[in-house]
Structure formats: structure tokens, C-alpha cells
Amino acid sequence: MRSPTRVQPGIAMCNALTIDVEDYFQVSAMAPYVARSEWDTREGRVEKNVDRILAMLDEYGARATFFALGWVAERYPQLMRRIVDNGHELASHGFAHKRAKDQSPAAFFSDIQLAKVVLEDTAGVQVKGYRAPSFSISDADDWAFECIERAGYSYSSSIYPIRHDHYGSPDAPRFAHDVRERLLEVPVTTMRLFGRNWPAGGGGYFRLLPYMMSRWLLRRVNYVDQQPVIFYFHPWEIDAAQPRVHGIDSKVRFRHYINLHRMEGRLRQLLFDFQ
Ligand SMILES: [Zn+2]
């Protein structure tokens, strides 16, 4: 393990904590098992889980960016206001959690435009950021960035520069870069090792890997790359008691339910270890 030497001791880098505000049944991997028409019939747990996150962030004096679905904002408008009232940034995860690549440019544009209007009306703030469901935009998708810019967003955090079966854009730049004249892309954090990028910025990998390993990866980004970490997780990841979706593929089951009971403790450690 290389020790951190390239940053002056005592200078902590400020990182970005981001939360994709959606419920357990809206995850893309669950789409084959839970139809959109069933969403309103499932037990909603996102509000309670986000309130737990707000309380936890308050304890550590941390502020985060919440990429919320327009669908969630319509059903829980008070929750959007609580996010803003607690000093956090409200951003957009689109309206209906459809992957960018699965839609026509026109349908994609209307989804992200609707989400922006709903979130801004609900919370009374300007929404500047957008994150595509399942990181479903690659660096080659200029049509999508054109839509995001035209919808009035000023940044996107939609690229995960890794190789993954459901998403990823392994050759995209690893750090924030301009993708349009008025649009900045802020990719989720990866670590560069053995000539390829490894996932480091959260999600299932953070639940899968031992915490010490995640911390080592993230510290390298701060100290070796000298870049802030862009970390993400979902409210359902701290909810070990969430209702199980039955009949799902074993890989989906493993990825969704692994170490849910450890997540809150790990997040607390993360909030303690990083600024
Ligand atoms: Zn999502």
C-alpha cells in the first residue's frame, strides 16, 4: 500500500456525497420483476429511509446532493422540502427512472425536463444537476448531453467510467470535464490500477468490499490523483428490512441484498474518515 505523501498533512480534501433518491422497487435491475404500473401498489419506504439519512448527515455536519426522481417528488413533496431545508442540494434523477439509452432523444428530453419542473415547483429551488438512471450515458452520447443542456441543467453526473454488464463507459475521462459549452460532466469515482479503472465510488461495490478496502481506494483518489471523490448510494441500501422482491434472478438478488445490514455503519465510518 502506498502511503499518502502528495498532499500537505492536515489539508483535507472536500469530497462529494450523492444519493440517488428512488425506492427499492425502482432499481433498474428490478425492472423485469416489478412493472411500472405496480409501483404505486408497493410499500413505499423511500421517505423513511431519506429521513434516516438526513438525521445521519446532520450528526456528522455533512451536506450532500440528492438526485431525486420526479416520481418520488410528486408523491413526497414534503420530503423534497426537508432535503433543501436541511441545507442539501436537490438535483434530478429524471422522472420515471428510464435508462437514457432505452429512449428516443425526444422522450429522454421530456422526461428530464418534466423532472426538473416537478422538483423545482415542489422544493422552490433551482435544480442544476442531473444523473441518468443506471449511469446509462456514455461519453459518446452527445445527443443525451445536448438534451441535458437544453433542459437547463448545468452539470451531469451520469458517467461511470468502468466496465460493467449493465452500465459503464470505461474509456471516458475519470474526472470532471466539459461535455458541452454549458454542461459539466462529473463522473462517479474510479481508481486507476493495472491499466484499467476500478469502481470505487459506491453502490453495490461499497457493500461488497470490506470497508478498509473502499477507504484505501478512496484515499488514493484524494492523495494520489489529488481529486475529490464522487460517492453515491441509494436510500434502500440502508434498509435491511425492505420487503423482498420474489422470483428474481440470483445475480440480481445477490447484488441488491448483499450487506444491507452493514451499510449504515460503513457510511458512518466514511463520514468520519472523509470530509
Ligand atoms: Zn437510479
Side-chain angles (χ1 to χ4, degrees), residues 20 22 93 97 133-134 234:
D20 293 357
E22 66 200 42
H93 196 33
H97 209 259
S134 304
H234 303 90

mmCIF file with all atom_site columns, all heavy atoms in Angstrom, residues 20 22 93 97 133-134 234, ligand 1:
data_model
loop_
_atom_site.group_PDB
_atom_site.id
_atom_site.type_symbol
_atom_site.label_atom_id
_atom_site.label_alt_id
_atom_site.label_comp_id
_atom_site.label_asym_id
_atom_site.label_entity_id
_atom_site.label_seq_id
_atom_site.pdbx_PDB_ins_code
_atom_site.Cartn_x
_atom_site.Cartn_y
_atom_site.Cartn_z
_atom_site.occupancy
_atom_site.B_iso_or_equiv
_atom_site.pdbx_formal_charge
_atom_site.auth_seq_id
_atom_site.auth_comp_id
_atom_site.auth_asym_id
_atom_site.auth_atom_id
_atom_site.pdbx_PDB_model_num
ATOM   1  N  N   . ASP A 1 20  ? -28.975 8.772  -4.736  1.00 0.00 ? 20  ASP A N   1
ATOM   2  C  CA  . ASP A 1 20  ? -29.984 8.642  -5.795  1.00 0.00 ? 20  ASP A CA  1
ATOM   3  C  C   . ASP A 1 20  ? -31.314 8.272  -5.135  1.00 0.00 ? 20  ASP A C   1
ATOM   4  O  O   . ASP A 1 20  ? -31.483 7.143  -4.660  1.00 0.00 ? 20  ASP A O   1
ATOM   5  C  CB  . ASP A 1 20  ? -29.570 7.578  -6.810  1.00 0.00 ? 20  ASP A CB  1
ATOM   6  C  CG  . ASP A 1 20  ? -28.334 7.987  -7.602  1.00 0.00 ? 20  ASP A CG  1
ATOM   7  O  OD1 . ASP A 1 20  ? -27.838 9.121  -7.407  1.00 0.00 ? 20  ASP A OD1 1
ATOM   8  O  OD2 . ASP A 1 20  ? -27.864 7.173  -8.424  1.00 0.00 ? 20  ASP A OD2 1
ATOM   9  N  N   . GLU A 1 22  ? -34.561 7.012  -4.902  1.00 0.00 ? 22  GLU A N   1
ATOM   10 C  CA  . GLU A 1 22  ? -35.534 6.135  -5.549  1.00 0.00 ? 22  GLU A CA  1
ATOM   11 C  C   . GLU A 1 22  ? -35.849 5.019  -4.566  1.00 0.00 ? 22  GLU A C   1
ATOM   12 O  O   . GLU A 1 22  ? -35.087 4.804  -3.616  1.00 0.00 ? 22  GLU A O   1
ATOM   13 C  CB  . GLU A 1 22  ? -34.948 5.552  -6.839  1.00 0.00 ? 22  GLU A CB  1
ATOM   14 C  CG  . GLU A 1 22  ? -33.775 4.620  -6.559  1.00 0.00 ? 22  GLU A CG  1
ATOM   15 C  CD  . GLU A 1 22  ? -32.853 4.399  -7.765  1.00 0.00 ? 22  GLU A CD  1
ATOM   16 O  OE1 . GLU A 1 22  ? -32.563 5.383  -8.465  1.00 0.00 ? 22  GLU A OE1 1
ATOM   17 O  OE2 . GLU A 1 22  ? -32.429 3.257  -7.968  1.00 0.00 ? 22  GLU A OE2 1
ATOM   18 N  N   . HIS A 1 93  ? -32.914 13.022 -10.906 1.00 0.00 ? 93  HIS A N   1
ATOM   19 C  CA  . HIS A 1 93  ? -32.561 11.669 -11.381 1.00 0.00 ? 93  HIS A CA  1
ATOM   20 C  C   . HIS A 1 93  ? -33.510 11.275 -12.518 1.00 0.00 ? 93  HIS A C   1
ATOM   21 O  O   . HIS A 1 93  ? -33.714 10.110 -12.792 1.00 0.00 ? 93  HIS A O   1
ATOM   22 C  CB  . HIS A 1 93  ? -32.664 10.702 -10.198 1.00 0.00 ? 93  HIS A CB  1
ATOM   23 C  CG  . HIS A 1 93  ? -31.999 9.378  -10.392 1.00 0.00 ? 93  HIS A CG  1
ATOM   24 N  ND1 . HIS A 1 93  ? -30.857 9.203  -11.144 1.00 0.00 ? 93  HIS A ND1 1
ATOM   25 C  CD2 . HIS A 1 93  ? -32.319 8.123  -9.934  1.00 0.00 ? 93  HIS A CD2 1
ATOM   26 C  CE1 . HIS A 1 93  ? -30.510 7.916  -11.123 1.00 0.00 ? 93  HIS A CE1 1
ATOM   27 N  NE2 . HIS A 1 93  ? -31.390 7.245  -10.416 1.00 0.00 ? 93  HIS A NE2 1
ATOM   28 N  N   . HIS A 1 97  ? -37.286 7.063  -14.079 1.00 0.00 ? 97  HIS A N   1
ATOM   29 C  CA  . HIS A 1 97  ? -36.194 6.090  -13.978 1.00 0.00 ? 97  HIS A CA  1
ATOM   30 C  C   . HIS A 1 97  ? -36.091 5.182  -15.198 1.00 0.00 ? 97  HIS A C   1
ATOM   31 O  O   . HIS A 1 97  ? -35.983 3.954  -15.089 1.00 0.00 ? 97  HIS A O   1
ATOM   32 C  CB  . HIS A 1 97  ? -36.313 5.249  -12.695 1.00 0.00 ? 97  HIS A CB  1
ATOM   33 C  CG  . HIS A 1 97  ? -34.964 4.797  -12.199 1.00 0.00 ? 97  HIS A CG  1
ATOM   34 N  ND1 . HIS A 1 97  ? -34.469 3.530  -12.402 1.00 0.00 ? 97  HIS A ND1 1
ATOM   35 C  CD2 . HIS A 1 97  ? -33.998 5.464  -11.521 1.00 0.00 ? 97  HIS A CD2 1
ATOM   36 C  CE1 . HIS A 1 97  ? -33.254 3.438  -11.855 1.00 0.00 ? 97  HIS A CE1 1
ATOM   37 N  NE2 . HIS A 1 97  ? -32.952 4.599  -11.321 1.00 0.00 ? 97  HIS A NE2 1
ATOM   38 N  N   . PRO A 1 133 ? -30.419 7.506  -14.840 1.00 0.00 ? 133 PRO A N   1
ATOM   39 C  CA  . PRO A 1 133 ? -30.617 6.203  -14.201 1.00 0.00 ? 133 PRO A CA  1
ATOM   40 C  C   . PRO A 1 133 ? -29.582 5.198  -14.699 1.00 0.00 ? 133 PRO A C   1
ATOM   41 O  O   . PRO A 1 133 ? -29.284 5.130  -15.901 1.00 0.00 ? 133 PRO A O   1
ATOM   42 C  CB  . PRO A 1 133 ? -32.024 5.799  -14.651 1.00 0.00 ? 133 PRO A CB  1
ATOM   43 C  CG  . PRO A 1 133 ? -32.716 7.099  -14.900 1.00 0.00 ? 133 PRO A CG  1
ATOM   44 C  CD  . PRO A 1 133 ? -31.657 8.016  -15.452 1.00 0.00 ? 133 PRO A CD  1
ATOM   45 N  N   . SER A 1 134 ? -29.026 4.445  -13.767 1.00 0.00 ? 134 SER A N   1
ATOM   46 C  CA  . SER A 1 134 ? -28.049 3.389  -14.096 1.00 0.00 ? 134 SER A CA  1
ATOM   47 C  C   . SER A 1 134 ? -26.871 3.878  -14.935 1.00 0.00 ? 134 SER A C   1
ATOM   48 O  O   . SER A 1 134 ? -26.328 3.117  -15.739 1.00 0.00 ? 134 SER A O   1
ATOM   49 C  CB  . SER A 1 134 ? -28.728 2.234  -14.848 1.00 0.00 ? 134 SER A CB  1
ATOM   50 O  OG  . SER A 1 134 ? -29.790 1.745  -14.095 1.00 0.00 ? 134 SER A OG  1
ATOM   51 N  N   . HIS A 1 234 ? -27.877 4.618  -2.440  1.00 0.00 ? 234 HIS A N   1
ATOM   52 C  CA  . HIS A 1 234 ? -29.337 4.738  -2.545  1.00 0.00 ? 234 HIS A CA  1
ATOM   53 C  C   . HIS A 1 234 ? -29.970 4.610  -1.156  1.00 0.00 ? 234 HIS A C   1
ATOM   54 O  O   . HIS A 1 234 ? -29.468 3.846  -0.323  1.00 0.00 ? 234 HIS A O   1
ATOM   55 C  CB  . HIS A 1 234 ? -29.917 3.608  -3.401  1.00 0.00 ? 234 HIS A CB  1
ATOM   56 C  CG  . HIS A 1 234 ? -29.342 3.519  -4.774  1.00 0.00 ? 234 HIS A CG  1
ATOM   57 N  ND1 . HIS A 1 234 ? -28.235 2.752  -5.063  1.00 0.00 ? 234 HIS A ND1 1
ATOM   58 C  CD2 . HIS A 1 234 ? -29.725 4.094  -5.931  1.00 0.00 ? 234 HIS A CD2 1
ATOM   59 C  CE1 . HIS A 1 234 ? -27.970 2.861  -6.355  1.00 0.00 ? 234 HIS A CE1 1
ATOM   60 N  NE2 . HIS A 1 234 ? -28.844 3.677  -6.911  1.00 0.00 ? 234 HIS A NE2 1
HETATM 61 ZN ZN  . ZN  B 2 .   ? -31.361 5.155  -10.084 1.00 0.00 ? 1   ZN  B ZN  1
#
